Amino acid sequence: MNTLQTIQKTFRVFQILTKVAFIFSIVGATICAVGALCSITWYTGGQVFTLFGEPITFFTDSEGANQAMAVLFSDLVMLTTDAILLGFAGRYFKIEQAEGTPFTANGAELLKKLGIRCIYMPIVAVVIAAVITVSLGAEESGDLSNLPGVVTGIVLILTSIIFRYGAELEQKVKTDSEER
């Protein structure tokens, strides 16, 4: 098996893993949205669940509901951002598989755009999550750092430069062979 076949098989595995993570992100975001709606219903005086005709109470005060809503809405924003980024990554892998090599100008450009999105989209999501947390008067809800996204984005941008160089080399080899 040559190196290009190994790369293609590896990218196919990553395409499948990306699709699975995309589905998990959507399911998680949906669960957070339903949980937030249940929390809002409870906060406004409604009951969501009953057991044998008796209402089930999840929160004992409005502070607990505000904290729960802040966590759920923040997680909803973060998971939605992850789903969007995974969708773009899945698109890249699909196009790369169709082209048969990562060393194309189109693939390098898609990878660079994905790297840029991996840097700025989580930053926007963190800001939105912080605004939600502050507006609900809740405590900070979990880890809202963006360092992994920035590092991932930089690595993807650097990889896109390498892939672009590979595409240029392939083009040069094709041009040289046609001239002979």
Short mmCIF file of all heavy atoms in Angstrom, two decimals, residues 172-180:
data_model
loop_
_atom_site.label_atom_id
_atom_site.label_comp_id
_atom_site.label_asym_id
_atom_site.label_seq_id
_atom_site.Cartn_x
_atom_site.Cartn_y
_atom_site.Cartn_z
N LYS A 172 3.56 20.95 -10.92
CA LYS A 172 4.86 21.10 -11.58
C LYS A 172 5.28 19.79 -12.23
O LYS A 172 5.77 19.78 -13.36
CB LYS A 172 5.92 21.55 -10.57
CG LYS A 172 7.28 21.79 -11.19
CD LYS A 172 8.28 22.23 -10.15
CE LYS A 172 9.64 22.38 -10.81
NZ LYS A 172 10.70 22.62 -9.87
N VAL A 173 5.06 18.67 -11.54
CA VAL A 173 5.41 17.37 -12.10
C VAL A 173 4.57 17.09 -13.35
O VAL A 173 5.08 16.61 -14.37
CB VAL A 173 5.22 16.25 -11.04
CG1 VAL A 173 5.26 14.88 -11.66
CG2 VAL A 173 6.25 16.38 -9.95
N LYS A 174 3.27 17.42 -13.31
CA LYS A 174 2.41 17.22 -14.47
C LYS A 174 2.88 18.08 -15.64
O LYS A 174 2.90 17.62 -16.78
CB LYS A 174 0.96 17.56 -14.12
CG LYS A 174 0.27 16.52 -13.31
CD LYS A 174 -1.16 16.92 -13.01
CE LYS A 174 -1.82 15.92 -12.07
NZ LYS A 174 -3.16 16.33 -11.71
N THR A 175 3.22 19.33 -15.36
CA THR A 175 3.68 20.24 -16.42
C THR A 175 4.97 19.75 -17.02
O THR A 175 5.15 19.76 -18.24
CB THR A 175 3.86 21.66 -15.84
OG1 THR A 175 2.65 22.08 -15.21
CG2 THR A 175 4.21 22.64 -16.94
N ASP A 176 5.91 19.31 -16.17
CA ASP A 176 7.20 18.80 -16.68
C ASP A 176 7.01 17.54 -17.52
O ASP A 176 7.68 17.37 -18.53
CB ASP A 176 8.15 18.50 -15.51
CG ASP A 176 8.65 19.78 -14.82
OD1 ASP A 176 8.47 20.87 -15.43
OD2 ASP A 176 9.21 19.68 -13.72
N SER A 177 6.11 16.66 -17.11
CA SER A 177 5.91 15.41 -17.87
C SER A 177 5.20 15.70 -19.19
O SER A 177 5.42 14.98 -20.17
CB SER A 177 5.13 14.40 -17.05
OG SER A 177 3.82 14.85 -16.83
N GLU A 178 4.36 16.71 -19.24
CA GLU A 178 3.69 17.06 -20.50
C GLU A 178 4.65 17.69 -21.50
O GLU A 178 4.48 17.55 -22.70
CB GLU A 178 2.51 17.99 -20.23
CG GLU A 178 1.34 17.32 -19.55
CD GLU A 178 0.26 18.30 -19.15
OE1 GLU A 178 0.39 19.50 -19.43
OE2 GLU A 178 -0.74 17.85 -18.55
N GLU A 179 5.65 18.40 -21.00
CA GLU A 179 6.63 19.05 -21.86
C GLU A 179 7.56 18.04 -22.52
O GLU A 179 8.16 18.31 -23.56
CB GLU A 179 7.43 20.09 -21.09
CG GLU A 179 6.61 21.31 -20.71
CD GLU A 179 7.40 22.29 -19.86
OE1 GLU A 179 8.57 22.02 -19.53
OE2 GLU A 179 6.83 23.34 -19.52
N ARG A 180 7.72 16.88 -21.94
CA ARG A 180 8.63 15.86 -22.47
C ARG A 180 7.96 15.16 -23.57
O ARG A 180 7.72 14.75 -24.42
CB ARG A 180 9.03 14.87 -21.40
CG ARG A 180 9.91 15.50 -20.38
CD ARG A 180 10.32 14.47 -19.37
NE ARG A 180 10.97 15.16 -18.27
CZ ARG A 180 11.36 14.58 -17.20
NH1 ARG A 180 11.18 13.29 -17.04
NH2 ARG A 180 11.95 15.23 -16.25
#
